[in-house]
Amino acid sequence: MKSFTVQEQLKKLKEEMTFGLLDEGDIEKIAPFFELKNYSAGTQIFREGEAGDFIGFVVSGKIEVKKQTEFKGNQVIIALLGSGALFGEMSIFEQQRSATVETVEDSVILVLRNSGLDAITRQYPHIGIKLLKGFIRILALRLRKVTERLTTIF
């Protein structure tokens, strides 16, 4: 099986909303701030309530995002995410995980630590702004979807 570099994986994700504003030069500059991680199916990447210090991007595989209900021990699946999806983005703004994330299939994840994002915004402010705009677009889309779901309930 061929091993891909971080830069190749970022280019693969370029068509996704998060990286859509970046050009080839931007990707070359930020690639050193990312790391590739492989997770087996059934691996818990992080748990709700834990400290959060990174954002993940699904390169391949599938992950579940679960939220604890008011009934102890019961969780509800709030998202099933595949290739190109971003998760853990709320840890940029608050350093606590708001959900549990677990792999459903063997998965390859690109990881950007909060310290890496801080370094990108210091060293390459124009690229940092593009990345943050991508994150905000995802958050806005997810908020819109939640709002639409809530309005169908009432």
Side-chain angles (χ1 to χ4, degrees):
M1 184 172 171
K2 185 178 178 197
S3 177
F4 293 95
T5 66
V6 168
Q7 191 168 337
E8 289 169 324
Q9 298 298 358
L10 282 169
K11 286 179 183 176
K12 182 178 168 183
L13 294 174
K14 176 144 179 19
E15 301 306 313
E16 300 301 327
M17 195 178 294
T18 306
F19 299 104
L21 298 171
L22 302 178
D23 60 35
E24 296 279 327
D26 295 339
I27 288 173
E28 287 178 24
K29 289 175 183 170
I30 66 170
F33 297 96
F34 288 79
E35 54 189 288
L36 273 173
K37 296 207 172 238
N38 294 296
Y39 292 96
S40 300
T43 302
Q44 191 174 83
I45 298 174
F46 54 76
R47 181 185 307 262
E48 183 176 349
E50 290 179 344
D53 70 339
F54 71 88
I55 304 163
F57 305 88
V58 181
V59 174
S60 64
K62 284 194 172 38
I63 63 166
E64 278 182 341
V65 181
K66 305 176 198 180
K67 185 84 176 137
Q68 179 64 46
T69 68
E70 63 186 67
F71 304 104
K72 188 175 177 137
N74 291 330
Q75 295 180 321
V76 63
I77 297 170
I78 58 173
L80 181 62
L81 304 174
S83 182
L86 158 72
F87 65 94
E89 71 282 356
M90 289 171 50
S91 73
I92 297 170
F93 307 106
E94 55 183 13
Q95 281 65 55
Q96 186 173 355
R97 297 295 186 191
S98 61
T100 297
V101 172
E102 187 174 298
T103 57
V104 176
E105 303 173 353
D106 291 349
S107 299
V108 177
I109 307 294
L110 264 174
V111 170
L112 176 61
R113 301 214 175 271
N114 291 356
S115 59
L117 180 59
D118 291 344
I120 289 169
T121 56
R122 275 192 313 276
Q123 291 179 31
Y124 309 108
H126 64 288
I127 299 173
I129 289 169
K130 290 179 189 180
L131 275 176
L132 289 171
K133 279 185 177 180
F135 299 158
I136 291 167
R137 287 168 65 187
I138 297 292
L139 285 168
L141 177 65
R142 290 179 179 172
L143 180 58
R144 183 178 301 116
K145 285 182 178 181
V146 167
T147 302
E148 288 170 2
R149 285 184 193 150
L150 282 174
T151 59
T152 61
I153 293 172
F154 299 103

